[in-house]
Amino acid sequence: AVVSTQSGHYGRDPNMLPKVQVDKGAIKFVLSGAHIMCPGLTSPGADLPVELPTDTPVSVHAEGKEYALAIGHMKMSCEDIKTINKGVGIDNVHYLNDGLWRIDL
């Protein structure tokens, strides 16, 4: 199921997905559609839950921001992201102002 932030589905229950937080340096890349790299999830300003397994859908928040900027899909577990700390940790499947966001329903 696709969770659309514009249609309000996500906004009605902002806790429906586990939350991860990227650092400020990752914001422009995530909003350009880039996948979320491990260093953006492990640096100061980022926050990962204690454990989320691979294939978990997550809401991606940014340091210093109140609302999610993307919906992602865990490519690695939180443990692997923290220990390996390189490569793609989360696939970016939907982000603010992408094509899905701009669909006129």
Side-chain angles (χ1 to χ4, degrees), residues 23-101:
D23 64 17
K24 288 180 181 178
I27 296 171
K28 66 181 175 183
F29 298 105
V30 174
L31 292 177
S32 295
H35 296 305
I36 295 98
M37 306 302 285
C38 293
L41 295 162
T42 58
S43 64
D47 186 39
L48 277 175
V50 174
E51 185 52 47
L52 290 174
T54 302
D55 296 328
T56 302
V58 293
S59 65
V60 181
H61 295 250
E63 176 184 8
K65 304 297 180 187
E66 182 178 357
Y67 300 107
L69 67 152
I71 302 298
H73 188 253
M74 299 287 289
K75 291 289 287 181
M76 303 168 80
S77 68
C78 286
E79 181 180 334
D80 285 345
I81 289 171
K82 290 174 186 175
T83 56
I84 297 169
N85 201 26
K86 61 180 163 179
V88 175
I90 300 174
D91 275 342
N92 187 348
V93 296
H94 174 47
Y95 57 94
L96 294 178
N97 289 322
D98 67 2
L100 181 60
W101 177 269

